[in-house]
Amino acid sequence: MTVSFHLCQPGGGASCGACCGLYNFRDHSRLAVAEQLSMQTERLRRVPWEASAWHEAARELLAARRAEPMFSAVRVCPLLGFVDNERKQVGCLAHPLVTGGTDLRDCGVYRSSVCETFTCPSFGWLTDAQAKLVQVACADWYLYGLVITDVEFVRGCLRLLEWELAGPARPEVLMEQPEALAAIRRMFALKETAPRRGTNATVFGRFNRDADGEPVPRTVDYVKLGVRASPEDDVVLCLGYAPKDATELMGARELVRSHVKAVARALAA
Ligand code: SF4
Ligand code: SF4
């Protein structure tokens, strides 16, 4: 079963702009990303809804970009911004629903037809229930995009929970229990909050940037660290940990394990 509700703008506080390049910087902290979006929103708010003016504004914004993209394959579009007055919903400022009917997406980094039809792998790889759980647990413009686009992370967290419960961890059930849902949110929020992940300039989640700027999957070098593989390691990698020794790896595993146990405890309460 694949997702049937709209993954990009599901509502309830969740919204995503990952494929428009939202996080495609070495510093993709909430603060840095929010500043970038605010700057683009402010600049484009004053531009008349005409293609020539938007092309020019887009060129200006690209030239003023705060840093080079981390992965060259993922373009960073200057037309992404906050589409609501409260600045809690990320989205395309050039979309006809935002501009009052004029489609200005051709002024961005892709053609409008690409923006209209693109679906990321999460559409096919997450079940409807998994995607709904992420939406409900991550009702937040910054966290939602980080989690919904990381299929291995979502699956890995739920797999660890099933092992801990020695039984199924059905998203439908998790969503019904407020304390379990709060614990799930804290577990998913590790994407933002996990400490001591270092400042490796080439690591983004479970990917490394190769010499050409392309993302390549990472693994744990068990031989070098002198440890055996553990079920937590997929999630550890998705969180962006690149442990240099066994102690660092053990610490990251323990962090993940403690959050999984917290969800299990909340379910049993
Ligand atoms: S990364 Fe996926 S969920 Fe996010 S906006 Fe793009 S297509 Fe939608
Ligand atoms: S124009 Fe396309 S790539 Fe740019 S923000 Fe809009 S949807 Fe994303």
Side-chain angles (χ1 to χ4, degrees):
M1 186 170 59
T2 55
V3 288
S4 56
F5 73 98
H6 206 289
L7 217 60
C8 312
Q9 298 287 340
S15 53
C16 181
C19 59
C20 309
L22 180 62
Y23 309 107
N24 190 18
F25 293 100
R26 181 178 169 193
D27 179 3
H28 54 275
S29 61
R30 184 183 289 264
L31 184 63
V33 167
E35 275 178 5
Q36 178 86 29
L37 289 180
S38 291
M39 192 260 281
Q40 289 167 188
T41 306
E42 276 306 307
R43 173 69 180 89
L44 292 169
R45 207 164 51 93
R46 303 191 304 269
V47 181
W49 288 329
E50 294 160 4
S52 59
W54 275 61
H55 273 300
E56 191 187 327
R59 271 195 298 274
E60 261 180 39
L61 286 166
L62 278 177
R65 198 159 54 188
R66 62 191 164 95
E68 283 306 303
M70 182 131 186
F71 300 115
S72 45
V74 181
R75 299 181 200 174
V76 178
C77 188
L79 307 189
L80 194 66
F82 289 115
V83 294
D84 64 327
N85 290 335
E86 291 77 34
R87 306 207 167 178
K88 290 183 174 170
Q89 183 180 3
V90 62
C92 177
L93 297 167
H95 193 286
L97 287 176
V98 178
T99 63
T102 311
D103 188 348
L104 293 161
R105 290 173 291 180
D106 275 339
C107 307
V109 293
Y110 298 107
R111 286 195 314 279
S112 172
S113 56
V114 174
C115 302
E116 182 68 28
T117 55
F118 177 77
T119 54
C120 67
S122 300
F123 276 75
W125 292 350
L126 288 179
T127 67
D128 203 358
Q130 288 168 340
K132 189 75 188 168
L133 176 65
V134 175
Q135 180 206 343
V136 174
C138 306
D140 169 301
W141 69 268
Y142 177 77
L143 185 59
Y144 175 75
L146 280 178
V147 177
I148 198 70
T149 53
D150 195 339
V151 174
E152 291 306 316
F153 177 67
V154 175
R155 285 179 176 170
C157 287
L158 294 177
R159 198 164 49 235
L160 290 173
L161 185 56
E162 294 199 331
W163 281 331
E164 183 66 29
L165 296 171
R170 279 196 288 276
E172 306 87 325
V173 175
L174 298 171
M175 279 185 275
E176 280 169 10
Q177 301 194 26
E179 286 181 13
L181 188 60
I184 288 266
R185 180 187 159 83
R186 286 191 290 274
M187 180 168 66
F188 286 162
L190 286 173
K191 277 281 194 183
E192 180 179 6
T193 62
R196 296 183 296 280
R197 285 181 284 183
T199 53
N200 192 320
T202 65
V203 169
F204 183 96
R206 65 177 298 120
F207 295 97
N208 240 331
R209 191 191 63 201
D210 72 9
D212 299 321
E214 297 293 315
V216 286
R218 300 186 296 128
T219 53
V220 176
D221 188 342
Y222 294 108
V223 174
K224 181 178 156 208
L225 300 188
V227 293
R228 290 178 188 276
S230 173
E232 290 82 15
D233 292 351
D234 275 342
V235 173
V236 165
L237 284 170
C238 288
L239 290 175
Y241 282 105
K244 290 187 288 302
D245 54 41
T247 306
E248 283 188 17
L249 178 57
M250 297 302 172
R253 284 176 180 172
E254 185 47 40
L255 177 76
V256 171
R257 210 173 287 136
S258 66
H259 278 76
V260 172
K261 284 181 184 296
V263 179
R265 270 199 310 276
L267 277 169

